[in-house]
Short mmCIF file of all heavy atoms in Angstrom, two decimals:
data_model
loop_
_atom_site.label_atom_id
_atom_site.label_comp_id
_atom_site.label_asym_id
_atom_site.label_seq_id
_atom_site.Cartn_x
_atom_site.Cartn_y
_atom_site.Cartn_z
N VAL O 9 -4.64 22.80 -2.71
CA VAL O 9 -4.81 24.21 -2.40
C VAL O 9 -5.77 24.80 -3.45
O VAL O 9 -5.52 24.68 -4.65
CB VAL O 9 -3.48 24.96 -2.42
CG1 VAL O 9 -3.64 26.43 -2.06
CG2 VAL O 9 -2.47 24.30 -1.51
N VAL O 10 -6.81 25.43 -3.00
CA VAL O 10 -7.73 26.13 -3.90
C VAL O 10 -7.28 27.57 -4.06
O VAL O 10 -7.15 28.32 -3.08
CB VAL O 10 -9.21 26.07 -3.37
CG1 VAL O 10 -10.12 26.83 -4.34
CG2 VAL O 10 -9.64 24.64 -3.20
N LEU O 11 -6.97 27.92 -5.31
CA LEU O 11 -6.44 29.24 -5.62
C LEU O 11 -7.36 29.87 -6.66
O LEU O 11 -7.21 29.59 -7.85
CB LEU O 11 -5.02 29.15 -6.15
CG LEU O 11 -4.02 28.49 -5.17
CD1 LEU O 11 -2.76 28.11 -5.89
CD2 LEU O 11 -3.74 29.38 -4.00
N GLY O 12 -8.28 30.66 -6.18
CA GLY O 12 -9.25 31.26 -7.12
C GLY O 12 -10.13 30.20 -7.67
O GLY O 12 -10.78 29.44 -6.98
N GLU O 13 -10.13 30.04 -9.01
CA GLU O 13 -10.99 29.11 -9.70
C GLU O 13 -10.32 27.69 -9.91
O GLU O 13 -10.95 26.80 -10.46
CB GLU O 13 -11.39 29.65 -11.07
CG GLU O 13 -12.18 30.94 -10.99
CD GLU O 13 -13.56 30.76 -10.42
OE1 GLU O 13 -14.22 29.75 -10.76
OE2 GLU O 13 -13.96 31.56 -9.59
N GLN O 14 -9.09 27.59 -9.47
CA GLN O 14 -8.38 26.34 -9.72
C GLN O 14 -7.88 25.69 -8.48
O GLN O 14 -7.70 26.33 -7.47
CB GLN O 14 -7.24 26.57 -10.71
CG GLN O 14 -6.23 27.57 -10.22
CD GLN O 14 -5.25 27.95 -11.29
OE1 GLN O 14 -4.98 27.20 -12.24
NE2 GLN O 14 -4.68 29.14 -11.20
N SER O 15 -7.64 24.39 -8.57
CA SER O 15 -7.06 23.64 -7.45
C SER O 15 -5.73 23.04 -7.94
O SER O 15 -5.63 22.51 -9.03
CB SER O 15 -7.98 22.50 -7.06
OG SER O 15 -9.22 23.00 -6.58
N ILE O 16 -4.71 23.17 -7.05
CA ILE O 16 -3.41 22.63 -7.36
C ILE O 16 -3.03 21.74 -6.18
O ILE O 16 -3.20 22.11 -5.00
CB ILE O 16 -2.36 23.71 -7.60
CG1 ILE O 16 -2.73 24.53 -8.83
CG2 ILE O 16 -0.94 23.10 -7.77
CD1 ILE O 16 -1.82 25.70 -9.08
N THR O 17 -2.51 20.55 -6.47
CA THR O 17 -2.16 19.60 -5.43
C THR O 17 -0.65 19.57 -5.23
O THR O 17 0.11 19.35 -6.21
CB THR O 17 -2.67 18.18 -5.75
OG1 THR O 17 -4.10 18.27 -5.89
CG2 THR O 17 -2.31 17.20 -4.69
N ALA O 18 -0.23 19.77 -3.99
CA ALA O 18 1.18 19.59 -3.61
C ALA O 18 1.35 18.14 -3.20
O ALA O 18 0.45 17.57 -2.54
CB ALA O 18 1.52 20.54 -2.45
N ARG O 19 2.44 17.55 -3.60
CA ARG O 19 2.68 16.15 -3.26
C ARG O 19 4.05 15.95 -2.68
O ARG O 19 4.96 16.72 -2.91
CB ARG O 19 2.51 15.29 -4.50
CG ARG O 19 3.53 15.58 -5.56
CD ARG O 19 3.40 14.69 -6.81
NE ARG O 19 4.48 15.06 -7.73
CZ ARG O 19 5.75 14.68 -7.61
NH1 ARG O 19 6.13 13.96 -6.58
NH2 ARG O 19 6.66 15.03 -8.50
N GLU O 20 4.16 14.87 -1.90
CA GLU O 20 5.43 14.53 -1.32
C GLU O 20 6.37 13.97 -2.35
O GLU O 20 6.00 13.12 -3.18
CB GLU O 20 5.19 13.47 -0.21
CG GLU O 20 6.43 13.08 0.58
CD GLU O 20 6.13 12.11 1.68
OE1 GLU O 20 5.10 11.39 1.60
OE2 GLU O 20 6.95 12.03 2.58
N LEU O 21 7.60 14.43 -2.33
CA LEU O 21 8.65 13.96 -3.24
C LEU O 21 9.15 12.62 -2.81
O LEU O 21 9.19 12.28 -1.61
CB LEU O 21 9.80 14.92 -3.31
CG LEU O 21 9.55 16.34 -3.83
CD1 LEU O 21 10.79 17.21 -3.68
CD2 LEU O 21 9.07 16.29 -5.29
N THR O 22 9.58 11.79 -3.77
CA THR O 22 10.24 10.54 -3.46
C THR O 22 11.72 10.82 -3.24
O THR O 22 12.25 11.88 -3.59
CB THR O 22 10.11 9.52 -4.62
OG1 THR O 22 10.83 10.03 -5.75
CG2 THR O 22 8.64 9.31 -4.98
N VAL O 23 12.43 9.82 -2.68
CA VAL O 23 13.86 9.95 -2.47
C VAL O 23 14.54 10.18 -3.82
O VAL O 23 15.45 11.03 -3.96
CB VAL O 23 14.40 8.72 -1.73
CG1 VAL O 23 15.93 8.77 -1.68
CG2 VAL O 23 13.85 8.67 -0.32
N GLY O 24 14.11 9.46 -4.84
CA GLY O 24 14.72 9.64 -6.17
C GLY O 24 14.48 11.00 -6.73
O GLY O 24 15.40 11.57 -7.35
N GLU O 25 13.32 11.58 -6.49
CA GLU O 25 13.06 12.95 -6.97
C GLU O 25 13.93 13.96 -6.19
O GLU O 25 14.39 14.96 -6.79
CB GLU O 25 11.60 13.30 -6.80
CG GLU O 25 10.71 12.55 -7.77
CD GLU O 25 9.24 12.70 -7.51
OE1 GLU O 25 8.86 12.69 -6.32
OE2 GLU O 25 8.45 12.77 -8.46
N ILE O 26 14.20 13.71 -4.94
CA ILE O 26 15.08 14.58 -4.16
C ILE O 26 16.50 14.49 -4.69
O ILE O 26 17.19 15.49 -4.86
CB ILE O 26 15.01 14.25 -2.67
CG1 ILE O 26 13.61 14.61 -2.13
CG2 ILE O 26 16.10 15.01 -1.89
CD1 ILE O 26 13.33 14.12 -0.71
N ARG O 27 16.94 13.27 -5.04
CA ARG O 27 18.27 13.11 -5.62
C ARG O 27 18.38 13.84 -6.97
O ARG O 27 19.37 14.49 -7.25
CB ARG O 27 18.58 11.62 -5.85
CG ARG O 27 18.97 10.92 -4.59
CD ARG O 27 19.56 9.52 -4.90
NE ARG O 27 19.97 8.93 -3.68
CZ ARG O 27 19.44 7.82 -3.12
NH1 ARG O 27 18.50 7.18 -3.76
NH2 ARG O 27 19.90 7.36 -2.00
N THR O 28 17.35 13.72 -7.78
CA THR O 28 17.32 14.45 -9.08
C THR O 28 17.39 15.94 -8.87
O THR O 28 18.10 16.65 -9.59
CB THR O 28 16.07 14.05 -9.88
OG1 THR O 28 16.10 12.62 -10.12
CG2 THR O 28 15.98 14.78 -11.20
N TRP O 29 16.67 16.45 -7.86
CA TRP O 29 16.67 17.88 -7.55
C TRP O 29 18.09 18.31 -7.17
O TRP O 29 18.56 19.38 -7.62
CB TRP O 29 15.73 18.18 -6.38
CG TRP O 29 15.86 19.56 -5.83
CD1 TRP O 29 15.30 20.70 -6.35
CD2 TRP O 29 16.60 19.98 -4.70
NE1 TRP O 29 15.65 21.79 -5.59
CE2 TRP O 29 16.45 21.36 -4.58
CE3 TRP O 29 17.41 19.29 -3.77
CZ2 TRP O 29 17.07 22.09 -3.56
CZ3 TRP O 29 18.02 20.01 -2.76
CH2 TRP O 29 17.86 21.43 -2.68
N MET O 30 18.78 17.50 -6.35
CA MET O 30 20.14 17.86 -5.96
C MET O 30 21.08 17.87 -7.14
O MET O 30 21.93 18.78 -7.25
CB MET O 30 20.67 16.90 -4.87
CG MET O 30 19.97 17.13 -3.52
SD MET O 30 20.75 16.29 -2.17
CE MET O 30 22.33 17.13 -2.15
N LYS O 31 20.96 16.93 -8.04
CA LYS O 31 21.81 16.90 -9.26
C LYS O 31 21.51 18.12 -10.13
O LYS O 31 22.44 18.73 -10.66
CB LYS O 31 21.53 15.62 -10.07
CG LYS O 31 22.10 14.40 -9.40
CD LYS O 31 21.74 13.16 -10.18
CE LYS O 31 22.18 11.91 -9.44
NZ LYS O 31 21.68 10.68 -10.09
N ARG O 32 20.26 18.47 -10.25
CA ARG O 32 19.88 19.65 -11.05
C ARG O 32 20.41 20.92 -10.41
O ARG O 32 20.98 21.79 -11.08
CB ARG O 32 18.35 19.74 -11.18
CG ARG O 32 17.90 20.83 -12.17
CD ARG O 32 16.42 20.99 -12.23
NE ARG O 32 16.03 21.64 -10.98
CZ ARG O 32 14.86 21.43 -10.39
NH1 ARG O 32 13.99 20.61 -10.87
NH2 ARG O 32 14.58 22.06 -9.25
N LEU O 33 20.34 20.97 -9.08
CA LEU O 33 20.83 22.13 -8.35
C LEU O 33 22.34 22.29 -8.54
O LEU O 33 22.84 23.40 -8.71
CB LEU O 33 20.50 21.98 -6.85
CG LEU O 33 20.81 23.13 -5.93
CD1 LEU O 33 19.99 24.33 -6.30
CD2 LEU O 33 20.59 22.73 -4.49
N ALA O 34 23.07 21.20 -8.56
CA ALA O 34 24.50 21.22 -8.71
C ALA O 34 24.98 21.57 -10.09
O ALA O 34 26.04 22.15 -10.26
CB ALA O 34 25.08 19.87 -8.29
N GLY O 35 24.16 21.27 -11.12
CA GLY O 35 24.64 21.43 -12.45
C GLY O 35 23.87 22.33 -13.38
O GLY O 35 24.32 22.65 -14.46
N GLU O 36 22.75 22.82 -12.92
CA GLU O 36 21.89 23.61 -13.84
C GLU O 36 21.80 25.03 -13.42
O GLU O 36 21.59 25.35 -12.25
CB GLU O 36 20.48 22.99 -13.84
CG GLU O 36 19.52 23.69 -14.75
CD GLU O 36 18.13 23.10 -14.70
OE1 GLU O 36 18.02 21.88 -14.87
OE2 GLU O 36 17.20 23.87 -14.48
N SER O 37 21.94 25.92 -14.38
CA SER O 37 21.73 27.34 -14.09
C SER O 37 20.28 27.67 -14.46
O SER O 37 19.74 27.13 -15.38
CB SER O 37 22.68 28.22 -14.88
OG SER O 37 22.50 28.05 -16.24
N GLU O 38 19.69 28.50 -13.71
CA GLU O 38 18.29 28.91 -13.91
C GLU O 38 18.25 29.87 -15.08
O GLU O 38 18.90 30.92 -15.10
CB GLU O 38 17.72 29.54 -12.65
CG GLU O 38 16.27 29.85 -12.69
CD GLU O 38 15.40 28.62 -12.69
OE1 GLU O 38 15.61 27.75 -11.85
OE2 GLU O 38 14.50 28.55 -13.55
N HIS O 39 17.44 29.59 -16.11
CA HIS O 39 17.29 30.47 -17.26
C HIS O 39 16.18 31.48 -17.09
O HIS O 39 16.03 32.36 -17.93
CB HIS O 39 17.05 29.62 -18.53
CG HIS O 39 18.17 28.66 -18.81
ND1 HIS O 39 19.44 29.07 -19.20
CD2 HIS O 39 18.19 27.32 -18.79
CE1 HIS O 39 20.21 28.03 -19.37
NE2 HIS O 39 19.47 26.94 -19.12
N ASP O 40 15.41 31.34 -16.04
CA ASP O 40 14.29 32.24 -15.80
C ASP O 40 14.54 32.99 -14.50
O ASP O 40 14.30 32.48 -13.42
CB ASP O 40 12.99 31.40 -15.69
CG ASP O 40 11.81 32.25 -15.29
OD1 ASP O 40 11.86 33.49 -15.38
OD2 ASP O 40 10.77 31.64 -14.88
N PRO O 41 15.12 34.19 -14.58
CA PRO O 41 15.46 34.90 -13.33
C PRO O 41 14.25 35.20 -12.44
O PRO O 41 14.35 35.14 -11.23
CB PRO O 41 16.14 36.17 -13.79
CG PRO O 41 15.88 36.28 -15.26
CD PRO O 41 15.48 34.94 -15.75
N VAL O 42 13.12 35.48 -13.03
CA VAL O 42 11.91 35.72 -12.22
C VAL O 42 11.53 34.45 -11.51
O VAL O 42 11.25 34.42 -10.31
CB VAL O 42 10.76 36.25 -13.07
CG1 VAL O 42 9.45 36.31 -12.27
CG2 VAL O 42 11.07 37.62 -13.62
N GLY O 43 11.49 33.33 -12.21
CA GLY O 43 11.13 32.06 -11.62
C GLY O 43 12.11 31.64 -10.56
O GLY O 43 11.75 30.97 -9.58
N ALA O 44 13.37 32.02 -10.70
CA ALA O 44 14.41 31.63 -9.76
C ALA O 44 14.34 32.43 -8.45
O ALA O 44 14.62 31.89 -7.38
CB ALA O 44 15.80 31.79 -10.39
N VAL O 45 13.97 33.73 -8.50
CA VAL O 45 14.08 34.56 -7.31
C VAL O 45 12.82 35.30 -6.90
O VAL O 45 12.87 36.09 -5.95
CB VAL O 45 15.25 35.56 -7.47
CG1 VAL O 45 16.58 34.86 -7.60
CG2 VAL O 45 15.02 36.50 -8.62
N LEU O 46 11.69 35.10 -7.59
CA LEU O 46 10.48 35.81 -7.18
C LEU O 46 10.15 35.56 -5.72
O LEU O 46 9.91 36.49 -4.95
CB LEU O 46 9.29 35.38 -8.09
CG LEU O 46 7.96 36.02 -7.69
CD1 LEU O 46 8.01 37.52 -7.88
CD2 LEU O 46 6.83 35.44 -8.56
N LEU O 47 10.16 34.29 -5.33
CA LEU O 47 9.96 33.95 -3.89
C LEU O 47 11.37 33.58 -3.39
O LEU O 47 12.09 32.80 -3.99
CB LEU O 47 9.04 32.75 -3.72
CG LEU O 47 7.60 32.95 -4.18
CD1 LEU O 47 6.79 31.70 -3.90
CD2 LEU O 47 6.96 34.15 -3.51
N GLU O 48 11.72 34.16 -2.25
CA GLU O 48 13.04 33.90 -1.68
C GLU O 48 13.22 32.45 -1.32
O GLU O 48 14.30 31.85 -1.45
CB GLU O 48 13.23 34.75 -0.46
CG GLU O 48 14.60 34.64 0.19
CD GLU O 48 14.79 35.55 1.38
OE1 GLU O 48 13.95 36.44 1.64
OE2 GLU O 48 15.79 35.39 2.09
N GLU O 49 12.14 31.79 -0.86
CA GLU O 49 12.22 30.47 -0.31
C GLU O 49 12.30 29.35 -1.35
O GLU O 49 12.79 28.25 -1.05
CB GLU O 49 11.02 30.18 0.58
CG GLU O 49 10.85 31.16 1.74
CD GLU O 49 10.09 32.42 1.34
OE1 GLU O 49 9.72 32.60 0.15
OE2 GLU O 49 9.86 33.25 2.26
N ILE O 50 11.78 29.57 -2.55
CA ILE O 50 11.67 28.46 -3.54
C ILE O 50 11.56 29.04 -4.94
O ILE O 50 11.00 30.12 -5.14
CB ILE O 50 10.47 27.58 -3.17
CG1 ILE O 50 10.50 26.25 -3.91
CG2 ILE O 50 9.16 28.35 -3.39
CD1 ILE O 50 9.52 25.21 -3.38
N SER O 51 12.07 28.28 -5.89
CA SER O 51 11.93 28.67 -7.29
C SER O 51 10.61 28.13 -7.83
O SER O 51 10.04 27.21 -7.31
CB SER O 51 13.11 28.12 -8.12
OG SER O 51 12.96 26.71 -8.29
N LEU O 52 10.16 28.77 -8.91
CA LEU O 52 8.96 28.27 -9.57
C LEU O 52 9.16 26.87 -10.12
O LEU O 52 8.22 26.05 -10.14
CB LEU O 52 8.48 29.24 -10.61
CG LEU O 52 8.04 30.62 -10.16
CD1 LEU O 52 7.51 31.44 -11.29
CD2 LEU O 52 7.02 30.52 -9.04
N ALA O 53 10.35 26.57 -10.61
CA ALA O 53 10.68 25.22 -11.09
C ALA O 53 10.50 24.18 -9.97
O ALA O 53 9.95 23.11 -10.20
CB ALA O 53 12.07 25.16 -11.65
N ASP O 54 10.93 24.53 -8.76
CA ASP O 54 10.75 23.57 -7.63
C ASP O 54 9.29 23.45 -7.26
O ASP O 54 8.85 22.37 -6.96
CB ASP O 54 11.58 24.04 -6.41
CG ASP O 54 13.07 23.82 -6.61
OD1 ASP O 54 13.45 23.05 -7.51
OD2 ASP O 54 13.86 24.42 -5.86
N LEU O 55 8.53 24.57 -7.31
CA LEU O 55 7.11 24.47 -7.02
C LEU O 55 6.44 23.54 -8.04
O LEU O 55 5.57 22.75 -7.68
CB LEU O 55 6.44 25.84 -7.09
CG LEU O 55 6.48 26.71 -5.84
CD1 LEU O 55 5.81 28.05 -6.08
CD2 LEU O 55 5.80 26.00 -4.64
N LYS O 56 6.85 23.68 -9.28
CA LYS O 56 6.22 22.84 -10.29
C LYS O 56 6.56 21.37 -10.03
O LYS O 56 5.70 20.49 -10.23
CB LYS O 56 6.74 23.26 -11.70
CG LYS O 56 6.04 22.51 -12.82
CD LYS O 56 6.49 23.01 -14.16
CE LYS O 56 5.89 22.16 -15.22
NZ LYS O 56 6.45 22.41 -16.53
N GLU O 57 7.81 21.06 -9.64
CA GLU O 57 8.18 19.68 -9.36
C GLU O 57 7.37 19.04 -8.22
O GLU O 57 7.11 17.87 -8.21
CB GLU O 57 9.68 19.59 -8.97
CG GLU O 57 10.61 19.71 -10.12
CD GLU O 57 10.55 18.52 -11.05
OE1 GLU O 57 10.50 17.37 -10.59
OE2 GLU O 57 10.54 18.72 -12.28
N MET O 58 6.98 19.88 -7.28
CA MET O 58 6.26 19.38 -6.07
C MET O 58 4.77 19.41 -6.21
O MET O 58 4.07 19.03 -5.28
CB MET O 58 6.65 20.20 -4.88
CG MET O 58 8.07 20.02 -4.46
SD MET O 58 8.39 20.99 -2.98
CE MET O 58 10.14 21.11 -3.08
N THR O 59 4.27 19.83 -7.35
CA THR O 59 2.81 19.97 -7.52
C THR O 59 2.43 19.45 -8.89
O THR O 59 3.23 19.05 -9.69
CB THR O 59 2.40 21.47 -7.46
OG1 THR O 59 2.94 22.16 -8.59
CG2 THR O 59 2.87 22.12 -6.17
N ASP O 60 1.11 19.47 -9.12
CA ASP O 60 0.62 19.11 -10.42
C ASP O 60 0.35 20.33 -11.28
O ASP O 60 -0.36 20.28 -12.30
CB ASP O 60 -0.64 18.24 -10.32
CG ASP O 60 -1.79 18.92 -9.63
OD1 ASP O 60 -1.65 20.07 -9.17
OD2 ASP O 60 -2.87 18.31 -9.53
N ALA O 61 0.90 21.49 -10.87
CA ALA O 61 0.71 22.73 -11.58
C ALA O 61 1.42 22.73 -12.94
O ALA O 61 2.53 22.21 -13.07
CB ALA O 61 1.20 23.93 -10.76
N THR O 62 0.81 23.39 -13.89
CA THR O 62 1.45 23.60 -15.22
C THR O 62 2.15 24.94 -15.20
O THR O 62 1.88 25.78 -14.32
CB THR O 62 0.38 23.60 -16.34
OG1 THR O 62 -0.48 24.74 -16.16
CG2 THR O 62 -0.40 22.30 -16.36
N ASP O 63 2.98 25.16 -16.17
CA ASP O 63 3.63 26.51 -16.31
C ASP O 63 2.59 27.59 -16.45
O ASP O 63 2.74 28.65 -15.84
CB ASP O 63 4.58 26.53 -17.51
CG ASP O 63 5.83 25.68 -17.36
OD1 ASP O 63 6.28 25.54 -16.20
OD2 ASP O 63 6.33 25.15 -18.37
N GLU O 64 1.57 27.32 -17.20
CA GLU O 64 0.53 28.31 -17.41
C GLU O 64 -0.21 28.63 -16.09
O GLU O 64 -0.53 29.80 -15.83
CB GLU O 64 -0.50 27.84 -18.48
CG GLU O 64 0.08 27.68 -19.85
CD GLU O 64 0.93 26.43 -20.06
OE1 GLU O 64 0.78 25.41 -19.31
OE2 GLU O 64 1.80 26.44 -20.94
N GLN O 65 -0.48 27.60 -15.31
CA GLN O 65 -1.14 27.83 -14.03
C GLN O 65 -0.25 28.69 -13.13
O GLN O 65 -0.74 29.65 -12.50
CB GLN O 65 -1.50 26.52 -13.31
CG GLN O 65 -2.68 25.82 -13.93
CD GLN O 65 -2.88 24.46 -13.27
OE1 GLN O 65 -1.97 23.66 -13.13
NE2 GLN O 65 -4.12 24.21 -12.88
N LEU O 66 1.02 28.37 -13.02
CA LEU O 66 1.94 29.13 -12.19
C LEU O 66 2.05 30.60 -12.66
O LEU O 66 2.04 31.53 -11.87
CB LEU O 66 3.30 28.51 -12.14
CG LEU O 66 3.39 27.14 -11.38
CD1 LEU O 66 4.79 26.57 -11.47
CD2 LEU O 66 3.00 27.27 -9.91
N ASP O 67 2.12 30.76 -13.99
CA ASP O 67 2.19 32.10 -14.56
C ASP O 67 0.94 32.93 -14.23
O ASP O 67 1.03 34.14 -14.12
CB ASP O 67 2.38 32.04 -16.09
CG ASP O 67 3.78 31.72 -16.50
OD1 ASP O 67 4.69 31.72 -15.64
OD2 ASP O 67 3.99 31.45 -17.69
#
Side-chain angles (χ1 to χ4, degrees):
V9 181
V10 178
L11 302 165
E13 299 291 319
Q14 59 190 333
S15 296
I16 298 176
T17 300
R19 64 178 182 77
E20 183 178 21
L21 296 174
T22 66
V23 172
E25 289 170 322
I26 293 170
R27 283 192 177 116
T28 299
W29 170 81
M30 289 192 65
K31 288 176 187 173
R32 188 184 73 212
L33 185 66
E36 181 181 307
S37 62
E38 186 70 50
H39 299 293
D40 174 16
V42 172
V45 297
L46 178 62
L47 298 181
E48 183 177 351
E49 302 86 357
I50 194 166
S51 72
L52 295 184
D54 287 343
L55 274 179
K56 186 177 174 190
E57 283 292 316
M58 292 183 200
T59 67
D60 61 357
T62 64
D63 289 330
E64 294 78 24
Q65 285 176 310
L66 291 176
D67 282 350

